[in-house]
Amino acid sequence: IMSNMLAMQSNLRQVVGLDYDEEKLSVAESCTYDASRAQFHHGDIFTFDVPACEGALLIDVLHYWPASEQLTICRRITDALVPGGVLVMRDGCRDEGEQHASIHFFERLATFIGHNRTSFGLHFQSRRGYVEMLTQVGLDVVEERSDAGRGSNRLFICRKLS
């Protein structure tokens, strides 16, 4: 859905969406405003050939994998970004106390009922852990927002270093 919103906001923008959940892709495709500007692919984030891009989103993605795989995902996305490209990443921060307890509860519920799937459990990092990981892969965290969702969800806006 976020991909469709981005495609609608500019006639010059090409958007590629990737998900391993075919049902979610079906919903995204059924909402597509202009199929020539938004393409959706079923695939694995570890093997998908990420095209060179000016921007990328990782919204509520990383916590489904352990930290080592999160690092791999961030490195793959950073490698696809052109110099100066932007990564927008959102995830829950486990060090946010009660705010995180609600996010963790609803994520566990969503995986239990099959709305979201994971083979590895839930692996939320601390705010500092996310910042260190993003920095390690060559990104500069230029802005953080705590008002980008409920609970402990935090938005990290990053720019690829040259």
Side-chain angles (χ1 to χ4, degrees), residues 3-106:
S3 299
N4 280 315
M5 289 174 51
L6 288 171
M8 288 173 54
Q9 291 181 356
S10 171
N11 290 332
L12 303 175
R13 186 175 289 146
Q14 294 291 314
V15 177
V16 176
L18 173 69
D19 206 305
Y20 63 91
D21 187 330
E22 292 186 64
E23 289 181 34
K24 290 181 181 172
L25 286 173
S26 178
V27 170
E29 289 171 340
S30 70
C31 299
T32 300
Y33 171 74
D34 182 349
S36 69
R37 293 196 328 248
Q39 303 169 16
F40 298 99
H41 301 275
H42 176 254
D44 181 340
I45 199 166
F46 294 99
T47 59
F48 183 74
D49 186 20
V50 182
C53 56
E54 295 177 10
L57 302 174
L58 286 174
I59 306 296
D60 302 334
V61 171
L62 294 178
H63 63 268
Y64 294 114
W65 288 278
S68 60
E69 280 81 3
Q70 292 179 23
L71 182 64
T72 299
I73 292 167
C74 287
R75 185 167 282 126
R76 293 190 82 240
I77 298 300
T78 302
D79 288 348
L81 288 172
V82 299
V86 174
L87 169 67
V88 177
M89 191 276 282
R90 185 182 88 164
D91 224 313
C93 296
R94 70 176 181 220
D95 54 344
E96 299 276 333
E98 282 186 37
Q99 289 183 324
H100 184 65
S102 67
I103 293 295
H104 193 260
F105 171 79
F106 285 112

